[in-house]
């Protein structure tokens, strides 16, 4: 039998016998009376279906005592049918009435939304009075919510605060909180270290009002107010007469009351920290107020019990256990209620409580072993047997009575929250079990997969412990931790072919689950109280209310399925849903929830996240997201809301490694939104200030012209008449079309007949505003936020991305249409400003001069934008993989540089040279910078010459000239050689070469660098080297380089002479940069080139007498060809052409190179018709050999040298008639010898032996020169013909072959080979004889010279004696320096 401890049941307290005052009908805390007739609750179709026909959670039930986990069976062959669809987090759709009711809403929906998605909504309950917030913010407190009464109570160390939190429509209806002071408080009780009192609000059955029970945890002191209204309005003295007081008694040392649970009417169940349970009543059996407490203990189960006689867990040996939870069921009749007690170790007890203090233990059962076995099998090996000791029951909840059929009663269906410690975290599960006839039937296990962190569990008795809430309709469970909330769906999956396949393949997704985390990084939010909100009407929504420390009250409500939505579609939390919550609610500084992805157990795949991010991005840009309002009083506010959402989207997504293209898509969208805001602000300003008659609005016309394919058409029948707002709401994602259409729309309006200059100017002004504001906003946003979008630091220059464009689509800011039309508008607007610059406006409709000035002032900004879009498009095109795009990029880059230069320079025409200079400086375009300064200076100088110029204007223009001069000088320091090169090039191109050495003399260092880097300017460089650098060796180098480029023979001779002179000066200067041997080589090289020129002059001197009678250059050329071209006849066209080309240069006094001189010397043949005073004809071929030697081809190109040598010998031999010479009949030796000495061969050989030519060139016999150059292959041995085509070489070889045939005739008919050796020997003898004669003459002259010198030396000696000894014959003595010696 169960015994009741009578010793503690007599602790009663008396009360004032006077009757209580009844509360009035308007009392704000009086309990609302229920209607006598209540509407019957809606019963779902499956309410009375026997359990055997249902399957919990839509999955398999227990088979052979082993249940399944969320529908994943251990053995597929033991599956049972799937039940009908009741998959919603709430009940089924109740039809159109419910829909209409949801559309209308209700008062309880008021509040600030903290987050919302398709599954649930979290709202802040505003019904906490401000005075209460002040009280609770100053001192520690704890709370309890009485959802059935619509009130909550918060207790501090010395008082309780009661307030109504439900069914308040406005702030005016919020009643003041009721403050009830605690009587008989001791100093110890008020200590901050003392645990806070426990409070509970109940409906007092006797008074019919809201009553308050307060218990001091350590002392067990009990205070009961039957009416909180009267208690709050009564002082402590009178209050003591109206309250019940008592004590639990029997508490052990250190034992404390930890929880109060409402029991039978006027009764409560108290739980202690030592695991004991106390039954507290506030009325006696007759209904009179009286406090009575009894410890609930059992020695054995009564005969009426289900388990028979067993030892109670609360007996003396076993009551010290951890009580996990105590819950009571609904009232049975008027005075009975079932109370179920669960320990953390898995023991359940069911007590029947009666109003007359009768407490009967119905049963007790231990579910620990069976529950852990089920969890172990369903965990797929995650849980092991050694974890059994860490298995705990944290809480449980009773399913509503409507979930249990009448036949099952008094069985109890429970949802149990369990945990198993795995590592440092807890693995949580919800077990749906039924206790019937003392046996446990586990129906289904719901693993909590979305949460595995947090407290495990609370280790101290006064800490907040995890609580399980199961609000009606019991399809969603709420697991409340101190800093997080978990929602778990208990819905069933509808049976279908696809679900059956998923079950068999273990791929059926878990029912919906989600974890919510309270914000911690900037607020210490934690739960202090919670309860379910079981509405009377069956709406299909499950709601719970939380009281959060530091925040207030919050309400979490699950939402029913949408029409046509299945449970499978809601079965998982999508990445998009998580991101939307973080984006649209995470930025709220006062938000209760923390959406940081690092805290959540929700795992996000990178690819899935990118897809979701782009989808959300599009929904924001097109206002398709349900979180984006489409109609707001302020268009700018709506755009900024979307801009904020885009920023939050990037903040969330950037925590994962994103593809470069995805980063840019997000950034481009944010740029477009910034551009849209700028466009709207500009348009809004224009609307506020425009003259409707003279200034037509461009933006509406522009948007109307855009093709319907590229915008969402507004529908006037639905009230969508504002095309601008409609476009900005729905089409910002393609706003790149607006930029080019700003210019195109102006063109179209011109075509449609707008001819008024004032209106045209206004349209141009608006188009400029649209392009400037949108593009500047976009580029500025990109520059400021590129790093935040993961693109790196300093990767944006002037708004343009400097990284790789390989994986990027076409940037929206530089599509082809934008590039083209921005350039057009830049030109048109500048020209419009210039056209009306001198046209003053008039009051009768003339052009507004202020707009003219504005258009002109905006042109530099438009030029800057034009440069930006060109620059970006060039970079993008050149990064394309196909060759055609790369070629387009290269071509566009070249065009862009010229376009940029022209646009910048043309800014000076608008009298804004400083703006042009700034742009040129920004892009470091030195050519544009020089041109702008030059144009600005020339314009200022021109204005200074105008008559009637005012003094102030004169000062301004003079200042402009001086400022430009200072800029020119400062740029040498700023830009160095880059600036100097352009400036010097401009100076030279303008013909003001003297400025190089005069006005710019202070910057000679840059001039030297510039000239040294320009070989083509060597004619100027040598002057600078002599005048500025005094570097004669470098001057000689420049002169030698200049003569190579020289075409004039006279100039070449002068440059060679100056070069030789400079080399000699360098030698005298002993220049350290020139070594002596190098100097000698350079001088000899110059002398050789001068000698070649002298030979060309001798050739010209030979033909010059024949040209005296010519009237012009053409006549000279014709005479020279006719009289000296007898050898190269028309029969040899190629040689004839070579002869004519070289003769043309010779006649015009142009420079011939060494090989051309060889050609002209060897081809000249006048038949000895002209007087040869200089003996050219005798030295003709020896001069050719001399030129060949001076050219140095023998060392540089032997093949080339050999071919020329053989050709010279062949033409030399063909100069005489060897067949005629060979006819020696009737001729004596002297005649034959004379004839042979008269041949060109003899003269050439003799001259060569005399001047040493043949010291390096050996005479070649005729047979050895045959076939020289007569084939293409032989000509290819000379590098001279390396780039000549085979056909041209073949023609040349044919002409040379004709020469070769003539030589063969001379060998055959004139026996040239035999004459050759004799002539060579004769030439040697003749040269030697002449040399001997010249040597004897030179010896005689040298002897005479020595004799003369000896006589001179003797005379000088005698004169020295005279000067040394003093005056002799009147001669004044002088010293060695020539000074007079004084006596």
């Amino acid at each position: 039998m169960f015994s009741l401890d009578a010793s503690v049941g007599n602790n009663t307290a008396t009360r004032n016998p006077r009757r209580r005052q009844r509360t009035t009908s308007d009392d704000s805390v009086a309990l609302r009376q229920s209607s006598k007739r209540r509407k019957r609750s809606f019963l779902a179709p499956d309410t009375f279906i026997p359990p055997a026909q249902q399957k919990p959670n839509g999955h398999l039930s227990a088979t052979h005592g082993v249940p399944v986990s969320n529908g994943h069976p251990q053995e597929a062959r033991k599956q049972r049918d799937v039940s009908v669809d009741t998959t919603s987090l709430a009940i089924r759709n109740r039809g159109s009435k419910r829909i209409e009711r949801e559309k209308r809403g209700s008062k309880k929906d008021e509040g600030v939304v903290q987050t919302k998605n398709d599954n649930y909504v979290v709202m802040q309950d505003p019904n906490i009075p401000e005075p209460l917030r002040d009280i609770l913010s100053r001192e520690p407190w704890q709370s309890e919510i009485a959802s059935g009464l619509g009130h909550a109570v918060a207790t501090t160390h010395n008082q309780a605060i009661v307030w109504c939190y439900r069914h308040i429509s406005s702030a005016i209806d919020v009643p003041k909180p009721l403050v009830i002071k605690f009587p008989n408080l001791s100093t110890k009780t008020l200590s901050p270290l003392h645990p806070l009192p426990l409070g509970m609000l109940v409906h007092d059955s006797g008074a019919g009002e809201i009553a308050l029970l307060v218990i001091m945890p350590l002392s067990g002191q009990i205070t009961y107010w039957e009416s909180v209204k009267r208690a709050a309005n009564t002082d402590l003295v009178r209050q003591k007469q109206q309250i019940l007081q008592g004590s639990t008694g029997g508490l052990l040392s250190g034992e404390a009351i930890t929880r109060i649970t409402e029991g039978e009417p006027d009764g409560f169940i108290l739980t202690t920290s030592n695991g004991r349970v106390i039954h507290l009543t506030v009325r006696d059996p007759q209904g009179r107020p009286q406090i009575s407490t009894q410890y609930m203990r059992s020695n054995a189960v009564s005969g009426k019990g289900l388990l028979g006689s067993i030892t109670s867990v609360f007996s003396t040996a076993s009551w010290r256990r951890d009580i996990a939870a105590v819950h009571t069921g609904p009232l049975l009749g008027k005075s009975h209620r079932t109370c179920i007690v669960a320990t953390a170790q898995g023991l359940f007890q069911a007590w029947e409580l009666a109003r007359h203090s009768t407490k009967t233990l119905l049963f007790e059962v231990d579910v620990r072993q069976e529950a852990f076995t089920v969890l172990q099998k369903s965990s797929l090996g995650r849980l092991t047997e050694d974890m059994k000791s860490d298995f705990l029951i944290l809480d449980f909840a009773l399913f509503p009575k409507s979930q249990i059929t009448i036949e099952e009663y008094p069985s109890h269906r429970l949802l149990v929250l369990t945990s198993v410690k795995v590592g440092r975290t807890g693995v949580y599960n919800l077990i749906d079990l039924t206790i019937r006839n003392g046996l446990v039937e586990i129906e289904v296990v719901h693993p909590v997969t979305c949460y595995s962190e947090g407290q495990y569990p609370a280790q101290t008795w006064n800490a907040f412990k995890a609580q399980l809430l199961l609000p009606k309709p019991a399809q969603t469970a709420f697991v409340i931790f101190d800093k997080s909330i978990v929602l778990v769906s208990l819905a069933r999956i509808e049976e279908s072919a696809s679900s059956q396949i998923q079950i068999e393949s273990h791929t059926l997704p878990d029912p919906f689950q989600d974890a919510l985390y309270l914000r911690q990084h900037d607020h210490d939010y934690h739960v202090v109280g919670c309860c379910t909100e079981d509405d009377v009407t069956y709406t299909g929504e499950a709601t719970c209310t939380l009281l959060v420390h530091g925040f207030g009250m919050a309400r979490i409500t699950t939402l029913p399925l949408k029409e046509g939505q299945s449970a499978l579609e809601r079965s998982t939390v999508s990445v998009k849903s998580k991101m939307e919550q973080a984006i649209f609610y995470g930025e709220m500084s006062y938000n209760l929830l923390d959406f940081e992805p690092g805290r959540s157990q929700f795992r996000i795949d990178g690819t899935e996240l990118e897809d979701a991010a782009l989808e959300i991005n599009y929904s924001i840009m097109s206002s398709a997201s349900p979180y984006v309002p489409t109609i707001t009083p302020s268009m700018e506010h709506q755009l900024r809301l979307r801009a904020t959402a885009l920023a939050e989207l990037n903040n969330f997504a950037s925590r994962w490694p994103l593809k470069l293209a995805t980063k840019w898509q997000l950034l481009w969208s944010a740029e477009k939104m910034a551009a849209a805001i700028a466009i709207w602000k500009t348009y809004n300003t224009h609307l506020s200030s425009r003259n409707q008659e003279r200034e037509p609005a461009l933006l509406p016309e522009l948007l109307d012209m855009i093709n319907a394919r590229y915008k969402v058409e507004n529908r006037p029948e639905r009230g969508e008449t504002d095309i601008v707002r409609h476009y900005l709401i729905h089409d910002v994602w393609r706003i790149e079309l607006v930029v080019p259409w700003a210019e195109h729309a102006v063109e179209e309006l011109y075509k449609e007949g707008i001819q008024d200059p004032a209106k045209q100017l206004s349209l141009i002004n608006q188009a400029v505003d649209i392009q400037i504001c949108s593009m500047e906003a976009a580029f500025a946003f990109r520059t400021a936020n590129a790093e935040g979008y993961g693109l790196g630091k300093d990767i944006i220059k002037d708004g343009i991305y400097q990284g790789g464009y390989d994986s990027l689509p076409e940037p929206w800011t530089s599509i082809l249409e934008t590039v083209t039309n921005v350039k057009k508008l830049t030109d048109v607007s500048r020209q419009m400003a210039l056209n009306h610059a001198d046209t003053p406006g008039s009051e009768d409709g003339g052009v507004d001069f202020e707009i003219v000035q504005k258009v002109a002032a905006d042109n530099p900004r438009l030029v800057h934008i034009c440069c930006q879009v060109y620059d970006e498009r060039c970079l993008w095109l050149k990064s394309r993989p196909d060759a055609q795009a790369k070629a387009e990029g290269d071509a566009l880059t070249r065009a862009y540089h010229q376009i940029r230069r022209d646009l910048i320079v043309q800014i000076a025409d608008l009298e804004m040279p400083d703006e042009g200079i700034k742009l040129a400086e920004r892009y470091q375009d030195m050519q544009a910078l020089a041109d702008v300064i030059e144009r600005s200076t020339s314009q200022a100088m021109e204005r200074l010459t105008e008559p009637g110029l005012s003094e102030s204007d004169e000062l301004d223009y003079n200042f402009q000239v001086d400022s430009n001069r200072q800029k020119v000088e400062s740029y040498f320091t700023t830009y160095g050689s880059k600036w100097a090169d352009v400036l010097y090039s401009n100076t030279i191109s303008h013909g003001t070469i003297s400025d190089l050495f005069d006005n710019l003399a202070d910057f000679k260092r840059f001039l030297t660098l510039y000239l040294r880097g320009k070989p083509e300017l060597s004619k100027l460089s040598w002057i600078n080297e002599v005048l500025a650098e005094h570097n004669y060796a470098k001057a000689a180098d420049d002169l030698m380089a200049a003569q190579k480029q020289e075409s004039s023979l006279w100039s070449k001779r002068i440059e060679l002479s100056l070069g030789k002179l400079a080399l000699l000066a360098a030698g005298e200067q002993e220049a350290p940069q020139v070594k002596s041997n190098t100097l000698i080589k350079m001088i000899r090289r110059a002398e050789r080139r001068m000698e070649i020129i002298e030979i060309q002059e001798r050739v010209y001197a030979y033909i010059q007498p024949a040209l005296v009678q010519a009237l012009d250059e053409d006549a000279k050329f014709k005479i020279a060809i006719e009289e000296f071209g007898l050898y190269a006849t028309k029969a040899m066209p190629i040689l004839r052409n070579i002869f004519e080309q070289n003769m043309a240069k010779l006649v015009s006094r142009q420079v011939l190179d060494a090989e051309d001189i060889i050609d002209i010397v060897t081809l000249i043949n006048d038949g000895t018709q002209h007087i040869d005073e200089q003996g050219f004809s005798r030295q003709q071929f020896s001069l050719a050999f001399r030129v060949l030697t001076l050219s140095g081809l023998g060392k540089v190109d032997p093949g080339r040298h050999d071919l020329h040598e053989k050709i010279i010998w062949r033409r030399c031999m063909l100069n005489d008639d060897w067949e005629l010479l060979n006819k020696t009949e009737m001729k004596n030796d002297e005649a034959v010898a004379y004839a042979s000495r008269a041949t060109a061969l003899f003269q050439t050989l003799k001259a060569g032996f005399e001047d040493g030519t043949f010291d390096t060139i050996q005479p070649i016999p005729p047979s050895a020169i045959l076939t020289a150059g007569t084939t293409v292959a032989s000509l290819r041995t000379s590098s001279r013909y390396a780039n000549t085509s085979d056909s041209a070489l073949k023609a040349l070889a044919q002409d040379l072959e004709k020469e070769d045939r003539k030589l063969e005739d001379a060998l055959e008919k004139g026996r040239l080979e035999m004459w050759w050796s004799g002539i060579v020997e004769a030439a040697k003898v003749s040269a030697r004889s002449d040399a001997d004669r010249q040597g004897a003459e030179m010896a005689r002259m040298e002897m005479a010279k020595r004799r003369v010198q000896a006589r001179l030396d003797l005379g000088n000696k005698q004169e020295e004696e005279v000067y040394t000894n003093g005056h002799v014959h009147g001669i004044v003595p002088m010293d060695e320096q020539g000074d007079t010696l004084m006596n």
Side-chain angles (χ1 to χ4, degrees), residues 14 124 206 262 397 452 533 601 945 1015 1112 1126 1143 1162 1181 1217 1226 1250 1253 1272 1313-1314:
T14 60
Q124 182 182 19
E262 184 179 3
S452 62
E533 296 287 345
Q601 299 295 318
T945 61
D1112 55 19
L1126 299 180
M1143 183 58 74
T1162 57
F1181 296 101
D1217 188 352
M1226 304 302 294
E1250 289 177 346
T1253 300
V1272 174
E1313 188 71 26
M1314 297 176 62

Side-chain angles (χ1 to χ4, degrees), residues 800-806 810-811 813-816 819 866-880 882 884-900:
I800 307 304
Y801 179 57
Q802 301 301 316
Y805 286 82
D806 298 347
E810 186 178 25
T813 47
S814 58
I815 61 176
L816 181 59
V819 173
C866 186
C867 293
Q868 288 176 301
V869 298
Y870 263 99
D871 194 10
E872 184 175 53
R873 182 155 189 85
C874 291
L875 291 174
W876 181 77
L877 282 174
K878 288 190 287 188
S879 70
R880 297 299 88 196
D882 55 300
Q884 182 178 355
K886 290 182 182 294
E888 291 178 5
D890 293 335
L892 187 63
T893 300
R894 292 190 294 271
Y896 160 56
H897 289 160
Q898 186 60 48
I899 290 171
R900 181 182 66 190

Side-chain angles (χ1 to χ4, degrees), residues 827-892:
D827 292 333
V828 170
S829 63
R830 182 186 63 256
Q831 192 59 46
M832 180 72 74
L834 291 174
N835 292 343
H836 297 287
D838 300 325
T839 305
S842 61
E843 297 181 357
D844 57 352
V847 173
D848 190 342
F849 191 66
E850 291 185 359
I851 297 181
V852 175
Q853 290 179 317
K854 180 181 177 300
V855 171
D858 286 339
N859 192 257
R861 297 168 65 187
L862 207 54
V863 170
H864 181 210
I865 293 172
C866 186
C867 293
Q868 288 176 301
V869 298
Y870 263 99
D871 194 10
E872 184 175 53
R873 182 155 189 85
C874 291
L875 291 174
W876 181 77
L877 282 174
K878 288 190 287 188
S879 70
R880 297 299 88 196
D882 55 300
Q884 182 178 355
K886 290 182 182 294
E888 291 178 5
D890 293 335
L892 187 63

Side-chain angles (χ1 to χ4, degrees), residues 889-952:
D890 293 335
L892 187 63
T893 300
R894 292 190 294 271
Y896 160 56
H897 289 160
Q898 186 60 48
I899 290 171
R900 181 182 66 190
R901 187 168 302 149
D902 294 342
L903 292 178
I904 291 176
V905 173
Q906 289 165 352
I907 294 177
D909 297 337
L910 298 172
E911 297 186 355
M912 291 186 294
D914 291 341
E915 298 299 324
I917 290 172
K918 289 179 182 179
L919 282 174
E921 291 174 348
R922 176 190 292 270
Y923 290 101
Q924 296 191 11
D925 190 332
M926 299 298 104
Q927 187 62 57
L929 188 58
D931 291 346
V932 170
I933 291 178
E934 180 186 352
R935 182 170 295 191
S936 171
T937 302
S938 62
Q939 289 175 352
M941 297 294 292
E942 183 179 351
R943 294 296 178 89
L944 287 171
T945 61
E946 294 178 355
L949 190 67
S950 65
E951 183 177 354
S952 61

